[in-house]
Amino acid sequence: MLEAVGLSSREITVYQALMTRPGADAARLAADCGMTETQTAGVLLRLVQDGLAVRHGRPPRYEAAAPDVALGELIGRQEERLSAAKTEMHRLTQLFRDAGATQDEGAAIEVVSGGAAVALRISRLYDAAQREVRCLDRPPYPQGQFERPAQPARQRREGVGYRTVYSREALAWPGRFQGDVLAGAASGEQARVRANLPVKLVLADDAVAVLPIPADGAESAFVIRSGPLLRALAALFEHEWSQAVPLVAGPRRSPDQLDQPDERTRSLLSLLAAGLTDEAVSRALGWSARTTQRRISALLQELGVSTRFQAGAAARDRGWL
């Protein structure tokens, strides 16, 4: 998906429309994309700045840059950033392992073994947070469970902000989206989505982090309390957050907002905006493949569009996302 190289859904929509209408102006593209002319002009400016479009003439008209060149450059930049992040993570992981012998409570780095012990440390982390809890959330989950405390425990922490980046695989995990993610969003959690995440991570303020260790068999995690390692993990979270796509389910309907979508449609829009495939949407919502395809077709027809990208832009214009 093109979101992986940092393009927004509107930028993708306008770029694709521009491919089919070379030399079009902002007004023509706005009509094609279901956006205002002002919105389209702003998107075109960003596309030109990123090398995805060329502007010429007066009044200005636009040509799409060749995807293999323009997108290839964006992908190359993203690959460089990810390669640097992976190299740093390998270095940090080795540092974790070298420090694993230190087990006392006052240690800056501690290794915790056993599923119950890991769950207890994460629960304590939530209880200790004073300002914000930040999470990178991805499978696998021990024994099919999620490492985070149940939603009611998070709701009790008034005054604490929550930001979570989910991998697409996490959203597609059976029961996860409806049973936990939507409940978190309803209680004020800010949620975003990435195609993939390098690690699972939970951070409380800038004071402590729990980093589950991927391994076969016994469950374990690193608990990091201070120093450059904690700052590096916080920086990793902020990097993933800045690159992630917002996951917004939209406000609940009230009687005087009859044009707002129902609960199922809002959930479907959120997952489509996050870039999930039909199969992943089916797993997340517990629908059959046929039901998913039928609901997507009905949604596109209701919005008067023909593609998912256009559906996302139209839904945002209506205030549905």
Side-chain angles (χ1 to χ4, degrees):
M1 301 297 290
L2 295 182
E3 289 91 340
V5 297
L7 296 180
S8 68
S9 60
R10 283 184 173 177
E11 288 170 338
I12 294 169
T13 298
V14 174
Y15 180 58
Q16 290 185 329
L18 192 57
M19 288 183 183
T20 63
R21 290 194 181 276
D25 58 12
R28 176 74 253 188
L29 292 168
D32 288 346
C33 298
M35 299 162 53
T36 67
E37 186 173 347
T38 300
Q39 291 171 335
T40 305
V43 172
L44 285 167
L45 177 60
R46 292 191 293 273
L47 291 177
V48 170
Q49 291 173 342
D50 288 340
L52 290 168
V54 178
R55 173 179 172 172
H56 57 80
R58 290 190 180 182
R61 296 183 176 275
Y62 299 86
E63 303 278 350
D68 57 341
V69 176
L71 291 176
E73 184 176 347
L74 289 179
I75 292 170
R77 294 176 195 164
Q78 187 74 349
E79 288 176 342
E80 289 178 3
R81 288 192 292 267
L82 289 175
S83 177
K86 288 179 181 178
T87 299
E88 183 64 6
M89 283 305 305
H90 288 314
R91 186 185 71 81
L92 295 177
T93 298
Q94 187 60 51
L95 181 60
F96 291 159
R97 291 171 178 163
D98 292 345
T102 305
Q103 296 292 324
D104 62 280
E105 286 292 324
I109 303 174
E110 178 185 357
V111 177
V112 178
S113 299
V118 172
L120 177 61
R121 288 307 176 92
I122 292 177
S123 180
R124 288 178 178 175
L125 182 150
Y126 272 85
D127 291 339
Q130 299 297 313
R131 299 185 306 278
E132 184 179 43
V133 177
R134 294 172 285 178
C135 302
L136 299 179
D137 191 308
R138 53 161 290 180
Y141 301 116
Q143 300 178 354
Q145 301 298 314
F146 317 131
E147 284 90 340
R148 300 191 300 171
Q151 182 63 23
R154 292 189 297 172
Q155 288 178 325
R156 289 197 295 268
R157 299 293 296 159
E158 294 184 2
V160 178
Y162 297 90
R163 285 191 290 156
T164 301
V165 181
Y166 297 94
S167 70
R168 289 179 186 162
E169 190 178 0
L171 293 184
W173 196 269
R176 186 69 198 281
F177 181 70
Q178 293 182 300
D180 182 57
V181 176
L182 289 183
S187 67
E189 177 182 77
Q190 299 181 62
R192 294 187 178 183
V193 184
R194 288 275 274 158
N196 296 291
L197 292 172
V199 294
K200 287 184 284 190
L201 175 68
V202 186
L203 284 156
D205 304 324
D206 292 314
V208 62
V210 175
L211 183 71
I213 306 169
D216 295 330
E219 301 160 16
S220 58
F222 293 109
V223 179
I224 303 97
R225 293 189 178 82
S226 63
L229 189 53
L230 184 63
R231 293 193 293 273
L233 292 172
L236 175 64
F237 172 87
E238 295 300 337
H239 169 77
E240 296 295 335
W241 179 263
S242 68
Q243 298 296 313
V245 177
L247 176 66
V248 182
R252 293 183 180 273
R253 289 200 300 177
S254 62
D256 60 344
Q257 291 179 310
L258 299 179
D259 63 331
Q260 292 294 310
D262 59 23
E263 298 287 344
R264 291 183 175 181
T265 302
R266 288 207 319 274
S267 296
L268 176 59
L269 278 168
S270 296
L271 296 174
L272 292 180
L276 269 69
T277 63
D278 289 6
E279 180 182 356
V281 170
S282 298
R283 291 200 306 271
L285 298 178
W287 295 348
S288 67
R290 185 174 181 179
T291 297
T292 299
Q293 293 170 0
R294 187 178 69 250
R295 289 189 174 276
I296 291 175
S297 297
L299 177 61
L300 296 180
Q301 184 176 1
E302 180 179 356
L303 292 171
V305 298
S306 58
T307 69
R308 293 181 178 215
F309 300 122
Q310 292 172 345
R316 287 186 173 87
D317 287 342
R318 293 190 185 192
W320 291 5
L321 288 177

